[in-house]
Amino acid sequence: MDSFIAQDQTYVAGTYARFPLELVSGTGSVVTDIHGKEYIDLGSGIGVTSFGFADKEWTAAVTAQASTLQHTSNLYYTKPCADLAQTLCERTGMKKVFFSNSGAEANECAIKVARKYSAETKGADCYTVITLKNSFHGRTLTTLAATGQDHFHQLFNPLTPGFVHVDAEDLETLNKMVADIPTAAIMLECVQGEGGVIALSREFIIGVAALAKENDIPLIIDEVQTGNGRTGELYAYMHYGIEPDIVSTAKGLGGGLPIGATLMNEKMQNVLGAGDHGSTYGANPVCCAGALSVINRLDDAFLAEVTAKSQYVFDALTNADGIESVSGLGLMIGIKTVKPAKEVVTACMEKGVICLTAKDKVRLLPALNIPTETLKKAVEIIKTVCAE
Ligand SMILES: *Cc1c(COP(=O)(O)O)cnc(C)c1O
């Protein structure tokens, strides 16, 4: 195959600073480029390919559905949609699910539900959503407004009004905000992914949940990156024993197909009625079949393996030469390296390991089923690169 970099750069909008890497195929956690060079993949397409590339079970589920009924629209009932919704509710205790196609859309729905609930219970001026500084919630104009990082905003003002940001871990200021501003929702990631793989403290998360409950403010947990087994629990909020009102998820849910889901608890389940929200592609049967095959494999034994692999990575990298700190939860790992993160990622790629970055960190989001031997090999290469 000839290089297609020039073709891509000519015709594809230049929104991505791509690495000069042309990928053509993959199996499990190994991906192959146009020259036949193999890489151990520790990025999973940003936490999407939960079971790696061309996984047999996932591929079988998806191809069976694709060759039966690939799309119907939401005017009719389809079985994969109903099955996936039931499974998600049974595994979380949530009561209803809205399906969309991405993380941003899952968050849009979450915000719409919270705003409608709060307007109906507290009045039309109760529309402000409090999110955290350094958060990431998506690229649509509303989820950009929710995102607490100014540099994403500047070129696209005015954004959707009604969003304010508070520092993570600052419960005192959050308390004041809730007292001063009619608050429609509080929204956060338990581990800030794009913000640098920062796990929020147990005290803060539990404190926010209590504050939200006391004031009947819908608590939205953005599990787009942390969800679907990534942190060693089905959803990251489960580490803290809190009960969110709304959970949004996407990325790893579909195992490589675009799907977003917004889960609503008992209180939120009937907020949206017919005509209040919709998505043409939402609940696409092929995406739902893929997602169902992913969720059904995330049992306790499997999640324990995710935690064990995480522990291995933390142990291997903490205090290693050229590494300042290791952060995160489960197989969502941030590494503060002495060398600039981008330099480490580039050097690892040359040595056949694909890593991500998040702010000033090297970020790892390997497939959840990465074989331990493969993970060890990749971690040794990261250590070598950091120590050089
Ligand atoms: C990636 C991400 C999003 C946006 O998801 P898209 O599918 O790119 O729209 C939202 N929230 C979090 C926490 C994310 O990591």
Side-chain angles (χ1 to χ4, degrees):
M1 202 186 287
D2 291 331
S3 171
F4 42 86
I5 290 178
Q7 178 192 20
D8 183 295
Q9 288 178 346
T10 303
Y11 295 109
V12 177
T15 59
Y16 304 106
R18 297 198 209 277
F19 288 93
L21 182 59
E22 297 167 274
L23 298 173
V24 291
S25 65
T27 311
S29 283
V30 176
V31 63
T32 305
D33 76 4
I34 191 172
H35 311 293
K37 180 174 171 182
E38 292 188 339
Y39 301 81
I40 298 174
D41 175 32
L42 300 183
S44 306
I46 319 187
V48 167
T49 50
S50 303
F51 286 88
F53 300 104
D55 173 77
K56 285 211 166 58
E57 219 175 305
W58 180 86
T59 306
V62 166
T63 52
Q65 188 57 45
S67 54
T68 308
L69 190 71
Q70 84 276 29
H71 177 82
T72 64
S73 91
N74 282 302
L75 297 172
Y76 318 105
Y77 296 96
T78 55
K79 186 68 171 151
C81 167
D83 284 344
L84 178 60
Q86 180 180 354
T87 299
L88 288 171
C89 287
E90 287 177 355
R91 293 287 301 272
T92 61
M94 303 297 270
K95 297 298 181 200
K96 278 195 166 50
V97 184
F98 178 85
F99 290 115
S100 54
N101 318 287
S102 66
E105 286 170 276
N107 284 335
E108 289 270 346
C109 175
I111 293 162
K112 285 178 78 170
V113 172
R115 277 200 170 161
K116 187 170 179 220
Y117 174 83
S118 294
E120 284 176 349
T121 54
K122 297 181 182 170
D125 67 337
C126 188
Y127 55 75
T128 299
V129 177
I130 304 177
T131 70
L132 301 185
K133 290 181 186 164
N134 197 45
S135 59
F136 184 82
H137 297 296
R139 301 284 197 160
T140 64
L141 288 169
T142 295
T143 56
L144 271 183
T147 293
Q149 301 189 55
D150 285 341
H151 68 98
F152 284 112
H153 295 171
Q154 279 145 15
L155 302 173
F156 305 105
N157 288 312
L159 304 176
T160 306
F163 288 85
V164 296
H165 313 289
V166 62
D167 279 317
E169 309 297 343
D170 188 353
L171 261 180
E172 202 182 315
T173 305
L174 182 61
N175 262 289
K176 283 199 198 106
M177 278 183 171
V178 164
D180 293 346
I181 309 168
T183 305
I186 302 172
M187 178 170 176
L188 59 85
E189 308 151 84
C190 293
V191 183
Q192 294 188 324
E194 303 303 314
V197 200
I198 300 165
L200 304 185
S201 74
R202 170 170 290 275
E203 299 73 52
F204 181 70
I205 290 173
I206 291 174
V208 173
L211 179 68
K213 198 165 221 163
E214 273 163 37
N215 293 279
D216 193 25
I217 296 167
L219 175 63
I220 303 171
I221 302 293
D222 179 343
E223 296 264 6
V224 173
Q225 191 161 153
T226 54
N228 314 298
R230 176 55 56 190
T231 68
E233 289 280 358
L234 186 59
Y235 291 100
Y237 76 82
M238 294 172 170
H239 288 282
Y240 309 95
I242 61 165
E243 292 176 344
D245 297 291
I246 304 170
V247 172
S248 56
T249 192
K251 287 198 169 89
L253 176 61
L257 285 173
I259 182 169
T262 308
L263 283 56
M264 293 159 271
N265 74 355
E266 183 125 38
K267 200 154 78 174
M268 298 295 143
Q269 62 176 328
N270 296 318
V271 171
L272 293 182
D276 283 347
H277 199 43
S279 166
T280 300
Y281 278 128
N284 171 274
V286 180
C287 299
C288 287
L292 191 60
S293 86
V294 168
I295 295 294
N296 281 340
R297 291 163 80 178
L298 303 177
D299 59 19
D300 288 348
F302 183 86
L303 293 173
E305 281 175 40
V306 169
T307 302
K309 286 174 201 170
S310 168
Q311 193 60 53
Y312 164 74
V313 178
F314 272 83
D315 290 346
L317 295 181
T318 304
N319 298 323
D321 285 349
I323 292 176
E324 289 177 2
S325 61
V326 188
S327 65
L329 195 61
L331 286 177
M332 181 171 175
I333 296 169
I335 311 165
K336 180 80 188 79
T337 52
V338 174
K339 286 188 222 176
K342 185 87 193 282
E343 214 172 279
V344 173
V345 169
T346 302
C348 284
M349 192 174 289
E350 276 163 21
K351 291 185 177 353
V353 174
I354 295 178
C355 305
L356 305 167
T357 60
K359 285 227 162 144
D360 61 344
K361 308 252 182 74
V362 175
R363 174 174 43 158
L364 311 182
L365 299 170
L368 304 179
N369 68 339
I370 186 170
T372 303
E373 280 316 303
T374 310
L375 184 61
K376 283 187 176 167
K377 219 163 120 186
V379 164
E380 284 312 311
I381 290 170
I382 294 171
K383 279 174 79 170
T384 305
V385 165
C386 289
E388 269 166 1

